[in-house]
Amino acid sequence: MADACCTPPPLNLDRNRGNPAYRRVLWVVLGINAAMFLTEIGVGLAAGSASLQADALDFLGDAGNYAISLFVVGMALRYRASAALAKGATMGAFGLWVIAMAIWHAAHGTLPSAFTMGAVGVMALAANVASFGLLWAYRNGDANMRSAWICTRNDVLGNLAVLLAALGVFGTGTGWPDVIVASCMAGLALQGAFVVVRQSAGELKAQPA
């Protein structure tokens, strides 16, 4: 969830925008990320895993980027900035929620299901690897597409962190590995949300009344 992943796409149209294959790839990876966000947020709540909920933030952020790429890029700057502001605010709200959940789990000594964490972590890893493969052909494209590819590559590391948390929960018999990983990932999400909100608010402020 680096800044490059969270920053809204540039206003100008990219050279692949009229390419049907390019748009199909964006639709597919948007669907993958949206589905995994819903899956991880639901299973994370059911399994009592804060790190799964935090990993869902990655999928939410990526889905937002792909949606902006498909629907907003090329419109007036205020529409792009408004969409980015809404995305940043949503990411920030989820980040604060995950932090609160991590604190709650730590205070109550919750022991999440290591098996469920591992199973969903593998599923999330497979989803990001699939997205990585689909975006491979566009890794050297415009700044927006390259940032999406880099973001997906970095998300694989987040998935591995969730798997390590699952192993830590299984090995220690405590929920601390889950809480630690969730806190780190939620912190990165909040930092990314701050970057998006600050940039988009500045762009909206600069627009003529």
Side-chain angles (χ1 to χ4, degrees):
M1 282 179 288
D3 292 358
C5 303
C6 296
T7 302
L11 179 63
N12 58 295
L13 297 177
D14 61 77
R15 59 178 178 157
N16 288 307
R17 186 155 179 84
N19 182 349
Y22 170 77
R23 290 184 61 83
R24 282 196 297 271
V25 166
L26 286 180
W27 273 112
V28 170
V29 294
L30 170 59
I32 289 174
N33 281 271
M36 284 308 305
F37 165 68
L38 294 174
T39 299
E40 280 201 310
I41 215 68
V43 176
L45 286 170
S49 171
S51 65
L52 283 180
Q53 296 171 49
D55 195 42
L57 286 175
D58 260 338
F59 286 108
L60 174 65
D62 291 347
N65 272 340
Y66 299 133
I68 290 174
S69 296
L70 280 165
F71 300 116
V72 182
V73 174
M75 294 183 180
L77 178 58
R78 62 178 173 273
Y79 296 119
R80 178 175 65 87
S82 296
L85 182 63
K87 172 199 163 187
T90 301
M91 287 179 61
F94 271 109
L96 291 173
W97 178 47
V98 171
I99 289 289
M101 291 295 293
I103 293 173
W104 189 90
H105 287 306
H108 289 78
T110 304
L111 181 61
S113 169
F115 175 80
T116 302
M117 289 174 62
V120 178
V122 169
M123 186 187 305
L125 179 61
N128 271 320
V129 168
S131 297
F132 181 87
L134 288 168
L135 295 170
W136 175 263
Y138 304 97
R139 67 192 183 281
N140 294 319
D142 70 297
N144 178 40
M145 202 64 214
R146 182 168 177 78
S147 71
W149 178 77
I150 291 173
C151 193
T152 300
R153 181 191 65 185
N154 293 344
D155 287 345
V156 172
L157 299 178
N159 300 145
L160 293 175
V162 171
L163 292 177
L164 288 176
L167 287 175
V169 169
F170 179 78
T172 65
T174 71
W176 282 109
D178 179 64
V179 170
I180 292 171
V181 169
S183 299
C184 291
M185 296 175 72
L188 289 173
L190 289 173
Q191 188 268 343
F194 175 77
V195 170
V196 173
V197 169
R198 182 178 61 181
Q199 178 178 338
S200 54
E203 290 174 349
L204 286 171
K205 186 177 180 180
Q207 294 300 296

